[in-house]
Structures are given as structure tokens and as C-alpha cells.
């Protein structure tokens, strides 16, 4: 009998791939009584289940279209509604500037496929969203970190780095979450937005503005941060300014409506959008027309602003419970950021604490967070961590703070 030959090997980047460091924490989450500050999950109590049920009924009542394949670009009613939202934020967008994607996660993946070749230089604000690092590693990009401070990405450090880069290492793109970043919670200062776009024009790289959290602003109700200058302009404006627009804007309904819709979108100039549309054709043909239709009906129902407003208020309460709780604890050994929006608190640990010992003690106490290592492409600052205050209710957060303090106490010993 002939012996079977070994199956063909996996592609090199999938030979021993590292999985998502956050998803690897999932086994801890199922332990009884565990309080999770780990994932960026929106609060289930904030889902507008009634409004979404009505929207789903409406979507189904519109005939078989919601059950059929749809255009790769997305459902026209939804693209129209998203363009309207973009215009309210100062972008000169029309429905034609929008590609609906299966979560904003897919939008970034498409961009990487369209723009990045192995060895290409990519700039990333650090600490960074781990799935972005994962996508770039799989694309074999050369990731260069750009440091952040309380005002977001440090554009002066970026300018210095760009000036020192040899011509053959010109970056393809820069990735940033300017509004309430994941994980640092920072809002990029207005003058840095200007500087960033100017540097992008000067050095010819794309700026990927990933914005799932911009609407979740605490301090100014209704005051969603303005878009990056120059995000999508009309053809006429483009001609007047000369050259094309470097900013690609990504957003999502995951954090404000429901992640299960898997409705995200990309807003960009036509040449890039067209290429991402082709890349999407081989990924999933189209984002589910059913959930797109539910999303369009939901946005048309007029319930969205109140849903977002509820989320803002509730997340602010939860953030305060976490930050005040930890800051009020004597000798907690932890210094927290105080975000003005979003879902995350970034923290630095007293250097005398062993971070692994703290994590083990926290899990033993019944609370889990994401150790900072996950957010660095290399050379991690291990004395950092990210906590999300979005999913647990305020009393649970108070309990999580107590457990963290206990854990800190045992880790300090
Ligand atoms: N970008 C950032 C910064 C995120 O935090 C997330 C979700 N954690 C995503 C993108 C992906 O969101 P989705 O695919 O659900 O739209």
C-alpha cells in the first residue's frame, strides 16, 4: 500500500502564528464570579433591544432583498445614512465615498492587503490596538512605533523619525485612533491633527484614522470630535488643493449599537476605495445585507442619538467608578489615565511590582484585565495594563477595584 505523503505546509506566516492576546484571556472569563475588565465589549444593558427588534422586523418586511446577496460597496440606504453622519462631523462625504465593511476590523485588513507588502514600513501609535499589530505582523510589515502622551500621538517625535528615515524606508501608512484611543483613552490634540496630515502630505503616506469611539465623548454631550482635517473632500476641493487626500477614515456601529451587526465602514478617496472593494470581493462578497438593512432601518428610526447619549452617560459613570476607586485606594501602586471618552483606562504600575505576580493574584481574586505587553509591537513596558469599564455595571466595578487592591497587596509582598 502506498504511504500518504505529508500535507503541504502552511504559508510561512501561519506556520506558528500568535493568536490575539486578548482572545487568549477568554478561558479566565468563564470562571465563576470572574469580573472582566479585559475585552472592549459594550455593555449588554445598553443595547437598544426593542429598537433593534423593530428594525429587524422592518428589514424583513421589505421583501426578499435583505436575504439576497448585495453590492460589495454596501446597501445604498445605509451608505447614505453613514455619509450624512460623516457630514455632521465636518467631512465632505457622499454615499459614493463609503465602503461598508464587516466590522471596522475588516476595513483595516483590506487596507493592509491593498497597501502593504512584506518589508514595507508602517507607523503605528504605541501603545496600539492589538488586532492592528496582528494584521501588520501577518502582512510582514516593518512596524515602527510612534510614542504617545496624554494628548495622543506625539507628532514631534513622528517628524523627527520621518526626517531620519532613509528614502527606501518611506512609510506606507500610519495607524492612529485619535478619539479615545484603544488602549490609552487619549484624544489627539487639534494642532497635532493638523501636523499629522501635513506630515502625511509631505512624506506621502496614508493616515488611517480608526474611529470606533469618537461618539462616546463624556465631557461635551453631543460634541463628537471633528474629523481629521481633509478627510474626504469633493473632487473640486481636491483639485484646488492639488494631490489626493491621505486620510482614510474607519468607523463602526459595534460600540454604539451592537457588535453583532458587524457593520463598519471605510471613507476614502475613490482610487483607494475601489481597490479595497476589489479586495472585499474575495473576502466575503458583501457584508450581510440582512444586518446592513437592520442597521439602516435602525438609523432611520431616529432612536440612535438617544442610544448614544445613554451610552455616553453610563460609560462616564463607570469610568469614574473605576478611576476614582483606584485613585482613592491608599498605596494602590497603580496610576490611571482619566479618559474623556471611549471604553478604556490605561494604567502604569509601581515599578516595584512584579507584573506577572499581579496578574496571577488578580485572577485568583476574581478580576481580569489585559497586561500591557499586548499593546506593543516590541520592547513592551511590562508595568502597564488596560482596563475596560464598559461591560461591568457600577457595583461590579466597585468590587473589581477591591479585588485589584487585594491583588496589589499580595503582589507587593
Ligand atoms: N478598531 C479599534 C480601535 C477597536 O477597539 C475595535 C474593537 N475592539 C475595532 C477596530 C474593531 O471593531 P469592529 O470590527 O467590531 O467594528
Amino acid at each position: 500500500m502506498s504511504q500518504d505523503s505529508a500535507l503541504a505546509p502552511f504559508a510561512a506566516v501561519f506556520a506558528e502564528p500568535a493568536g490575539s492576546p486578548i482572545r487568549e484571556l477568554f478561558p479566565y472569563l468563564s470562571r465563576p464570579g470572574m469580573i472582566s475588565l479585559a475585552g472592549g465589549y459594550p455593555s449588554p444593558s445598553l443595547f437598544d433591544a426593542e429598537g433593534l427588534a423593530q428594525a429587524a422586523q422592518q428589514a424583513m418586511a421589505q421583501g426578499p432583498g435583505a436575504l439576497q446577496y448585495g453590492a460589495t460597496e454596501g446597501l445604498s440606504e445605509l451608505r447614505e445614512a453613514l455619509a450624512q453622519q460623516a457630514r455632521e462631523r465636518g467631512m465632505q462625504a457622499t454615499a459614493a465615498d463609503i465602503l461598508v465593511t464587516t466590522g471596522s476590523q475588516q476595513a483595516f485588513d483590506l487596507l493592509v492587503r491593498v497597501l502593504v507588502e512584506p518589508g514595507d514600513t508602517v507607523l503605528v501609535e504605541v501603545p496600539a490596538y492589538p488586532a492592528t499589530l496582528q494584521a501588520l505582523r501577518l502582512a510582514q510589515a516593518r512596524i515602527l512605533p510612534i510614542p504617545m502622551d496624554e494628548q495622543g500621538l506625539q507628532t514631534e517625535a513622528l517628524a523627527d523619525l520621518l526626517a531620519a528615515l532613509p528614502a527606501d524606508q518611506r512609510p506606507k501608512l500610519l495607524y492612529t485612533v485619535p478619539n479615545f484611543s484603544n488602549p490609552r483613552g487619549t484624544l489627539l490634540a487639534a494642532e497635532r491633527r493638523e501636523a499629522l496630515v501635513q506630515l502625511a502630505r509631505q512624506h506621502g503616506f496614508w493616515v488611517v484614522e480608526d474611529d470606533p469611539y469618537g461618539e462616546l465623548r463624556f465631557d461635551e454631550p453631543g460634541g463628537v470630535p471633528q474629523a481629521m482635517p481633509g478627510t474626504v473632500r469633493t473632487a473640486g476641493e481636491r483639485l484646488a488643493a492639488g494631490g489626493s487626500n491621505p486620510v482614510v477614515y474607519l468607523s463602526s456601529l459595534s460600540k454604539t449599537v451592537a457588535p453583532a451587526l458587524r457593520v463598519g465602514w471605510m471613507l476614502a478617496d475613490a482610487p483607494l476605495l475601489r481597490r479595497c472593494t476589489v479586495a472585499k470581493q474575495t473576502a466575503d462578497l458583501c457584508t450581510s445585507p440582512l444586518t446592513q438593512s437592520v442597521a439602516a432601518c435602525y438609523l432611520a428610526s431616529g432612536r440612535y442619538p438617544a442610544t448614544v447619549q445613554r451610552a455616553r452617560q453610563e460609560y462616564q459613570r463607570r469610568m469614574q467608578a473605576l478611576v476614582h476607586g483606584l485613585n482613592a485606594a491608599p498605596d494602590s501602586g497603580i496610576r490611571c489615565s482619566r479618559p474623556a471618552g471611549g471604553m478604556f483606562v490605561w494604567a502604569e504600575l509601581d515599578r516595584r511590582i512584579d507584573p506577572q505576580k499581579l496578574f496571577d493574584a488578580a485572577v485568583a481574586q476574581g478580576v481580569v484585565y489585559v497586561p500591557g505587553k499586548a499593546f506593543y509591537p516590541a520592547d513592551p513596558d511590562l508595568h502597564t495594563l488596560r482596563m475596560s469599564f464598559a461591560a461591568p455595571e457600577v457595583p461590579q466595578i466597585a468590587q473589581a477595584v477591591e479585588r485589584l487592591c487585594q491583588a496589589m497587596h499580595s503582589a507587593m509582598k
Side-chain angles (χ1 to χ4, degrees):
M1 238 170 56
S2 71
Q3 236 187 342
D4 288 350
S5 60
L7 287 170
F10 297 113
V13 288
F14 279 96
E16 294 295 337
S20 152
I22 297 182
R23 292 193 161 246
E24 275 164 15
L25 297 174
F26 280 16
Y28 295 118
L29 309 189
S30 53
R31 293 193 187 174
M34 183 66 81
I35 302 176
S36 173
L37 304 174
Y41 280 30
S43 173
S45 68
L46 291 168
F47 293 144
D48 179 8
E50 190 190 323
L52 283 165
Q54 285 169 9
Q57 259 182 349
Q58 246 181 309
M60 289 299 290
Q62 283 171 355
L67 300 178
Q68 190 55 278
Y69 288 117
T72 302
E73 292 81 355
L75 204 70
S76 53
E77 306 90 282
L78 180 60
R79 294 167 82 202
E80 196 52 68
L82 297 173
Q84 173 62 35
Q85 268 193 16
R87 285 194 292 274
E88 286 160 15
R89 292 204 37 215
M91 297 178 232
Q92 301 293 317
T94 67
D97 300 313
I98 288 182
L99 171 65
V100 177
T101 55
T102 301
S104 53
Q105 191 68 50
Q106 184 186 50
F108 186 69
D109 206 60
L110 298 177
L111 282 171
V112 171
R113 279 174 61 200
V114 164
L115 291 170
V116 180
E117 291 178 272
D120 277 351
T121 302
V122 171
L123 307 168
V124 178
E125 65 180 15
V126 167
Y129 173 47
T132 290
L133 297 177
Q134 203 182 2
L136 291 171
R137 283 190 189 114
L138 289 174
Q140 297 172 274
R142 182 167 166 261
I143 304 173
L144 294 187
I146 309 297
M148 301 173 81
D149 59 23
E150 294 70 29
Q151 301 198 58
L153 173 85
Q154 292 181 26
T155 41
E156 282 181 16
L158 171 64
D160 292 346
L161 181 127
L162 288 166
L165 268 187
D168 63 349
Q169 288 174 26
R170 193 173 98 169
K172 276 280 175 73
L173 64 90
L174 177 145
Y175 173 86
T176 178
V177 183
N179 303 323
F180 320 121
S181 89
N182 178 1
R184 219 174 180 283
T186 46
L187 180 64
L188 185 64
E191 59 280 11
R192 290 189 181 182
R193 291 173 193 243
E194 296 280 351
L196 175 55
V197 174
Q198 216 171 350
L199 287 169
R201 292 215 164 96
Q202 195 183 332
H203 294 267
F205 58 86
W206 301 88
V207 174
V208 180
E209 175 184 8
D210 190 11
D211 185 31
Y213 303 107
E215 294 210 75
L216 299 176
R217 183 174 196 154
F218 305 146
D219 54 350
E220 289 170 39
V224 177
Q226 281 294 297
M228 206 77 81
T231 312
V232 176
R233 293 166 298 163
T234 59
E237 280 177 303
R238 234 176 346 259
L239 275 178
S244 58
N245 166 38
V247 181
V248 187
Y249 177 85
L250 313 182
S251 192
S252 172
L253 294 182
S254 289
K255 310 297 177 172
T256 49
V257 182
L261 292 172
R262 306 308 300 130
V263 168
W265 64 98
M266 177 190 303
L267 233 139
D269 279 351
L272 182 61
L273 211 61
R274 194 171 61 245
R275 286 163 175 83
C276 288
T277 306
V278 172
K280 185 172 163 66
Q281 288 166 354
T282 71
D284 62 359
L285 296 176
C286 61
T287 294
S288 162
L290 182 56
T291 63
Q292 285 190 72
S293 185
V294 174
C297 291
Y298 187 74
L299 293 176
S301 73
R303 295 174 73 110
Y304 181 74
T307 300
V308 173
Q309 181 61 12
R310 259 197 315 278
R312 276 193 198 116
Q313 287 169 348
E314 186 53 32
Y315 289 150
Q316 181 169 27
R317 285 181 60 228
R318 295 181 190 194
M319 180 277 290
Q320 283 167 344
L322 182 61
V323 172
H324 291 176
L326 283 171
N327 286 346
D331 307 323
S332 76
I334 189 166
R335 200 154 46 89
C336 297
S337 67
R338 198 180 186 294
M343 292 187 168
F344 304 106
V345 164
W346 181 247
E348 285 182 33
L349 294 174
D350 187 315
R351 300 279 144 179
R352 288 168 301 178
I353 296 173
D354 175 341
Q356 185 61 46
K357 219 167 143 186
L358 176 66
F359 182 76
D360 294 341
V363 169
Q365 288 289 337
V367 58
V368 64
Y369 55 80
V370 186
K373 184 170 181 273
F375 304 94
Y376 292 86
D379 307 321
D381 179 353
L382 298 176
H383 285 85
T384 54
L385 56 96
R386 187 196 78 178
M387 292 170 282
S388 173
F389 46 82
E393 308 272 338
V394 167
Q396 268 186 310
I397 291 179
Q399 212 176 359
V401 168
E402 274 174 34
R403 291 178 185 183
L404 274 172
C405 291
Q406 286 290 340
M408 209 72 75
H409 206 69
S410 37
M412 288 261 216
K413 271 188 213 152

